[in-house]
Amino acid sequence: IDLTCPFVAKIHKIVSKHHKEGYQIIIVGDKNHPEVIGINGWCDNKAAIINDVKSEIDGNLASKDICIVAQTTINRDFFGEIVQNVKKTCKSTLVFDTICSATMRRQQEAESLAAKVDRMIVVGGRHSSNTGKLFDICSRHCPTVWVETAAELRAEDFAGVDTLGITAGASTPARIIKEVQKTMSDILT
């Protein structure tokens, strides 16, 4: 049974098709993330992988037809900056915005909430890319605590806090989120 996320499977098809047509593939994402490693496999592991807006575009790429895709959990603004950098250097670029719409909505909602509260709690695995992005986004607006489980919450996390927000990574099990909510409620009362 193929359990590949449909959003990721779509990227595989884009990359495979354009690689066979002679395009140089650029993946915007973390080269060590399993999703990016998998995407790269669809172009014989020949993609250029960029995860820094300051990255210099290799001179060899400038003369090639380029196909750009994104790791599904990449921040949209970050993706846009890298795309603009590539377009300045490369002669011909096809851009496929392959950022997961659910991830994008979750990031927007977390940012909106973080701007309104005194502290955010982000729930999710330490190795989860999308949870890490949520933590980064929330941290720009208010003090933010990242926990994997309710056991990591401490009373000090809530000292002097009038309003508190919570968000969770896409792969965080509902039972963990409920446990964190219950523990937060117990601590606060």
Side-chain angles (χ1 to χ4, degrees):
I1 299 172
D2 184 351
L3 298 176
T4 306
C5 167
F7 290 114
V8 175
K10 177 182 170 187
I11 302 170
H12 294 168
K13 289 176 185 166
I14 291 167
V15 166
S16 177
K17 175 186 183 292
H18 288 87
H19 174 67
K20 288 174 185 169
E21 292 175 1
Y23 284 84
Q24 168 62 52
I25 306 299
I26 293 179
I27 305 169
V28 178
D30 175 1
K31 69 179 179 180
N32 297 315
H33 192 280
E35 179 186 328
V36 172
I37 293 167
I39 294 167
N40 197 15
W42 287 89
C43 60
D44 300 325
N45 297 309
K46 293 181 179 172
I49 301 170
I50 301 174
N51 198 29
D52 185 349
V53 293
K54 296 174 186 156
S55 291
E56 294 285 327
I57 305 304
D58 185 314
N60 291 334
L61 295 181
S63 62
K64 296 181 180 181
D65 291 327
I66 304 293
C67 173
I68 305 173
V69 297
Q71 179 180 334
T72 57
T73 55
I74 286 295
N75 176 281
R76 184 170 305 285
D77 294 336
F78 175 76
F79 178 65
E81 284 184 62
I82 291 178
V83 166
Q84 289 309 311
N85 289 345
V86 171
K87 282 184 168 185
K88 287 178 193 170
T89 307
C90 299
K91 70 171 186 143
S92 172
T93 56
L94 284 177
V95 179
F96 293 91
D97 181 346
T98 54
I99 298 169
C100 172
S101 57
T103 298
M104 184 183 70
R105 274 193 312 279
R106 186 183 303 261
Q107 289 175 357
Q108 290 169 338
E109 290 168 359
E111 184 165 32
S112 176
L113 181 60
K116 299 174 187 169
V117 299
D118 298 323
R119 174 139 323 134
M120 283 293 291
I121 304 295
V122 176
V123 185
R126 296 265 185 248
H127 301 290
S128 164
S129 175
N130 69 71
T131 304
K133 301 280 184 310
L134 290 171
F135 178 79
D136 292 342
I137 289 166
C138 293
S139 296
R140 291 191 297 238
H141 296 280
C142 67
T144 303
V145 177
W146 183 348
V147 297
E148 288 187 288
T149 67
E152 295 176 27
L153 291 169
R154 303 167 311 182
E156 313 78 84
D157 294 334
F158 310 108
V161 173
D162 290 325
T163 56
L164 185 64
I166 184 170
T167 188
S171 59
T172 305
R175 68 174 176 75
I176 299 288
I177 298 167
K178 287 177 184 172
E179 287 173 10
V180 168
Q181 289 174 316
K182 182 182 181 324
T183 301
M184 285 169 47
S185 180
D186 292 347
I187 289 172
L188 292 169
T189 55

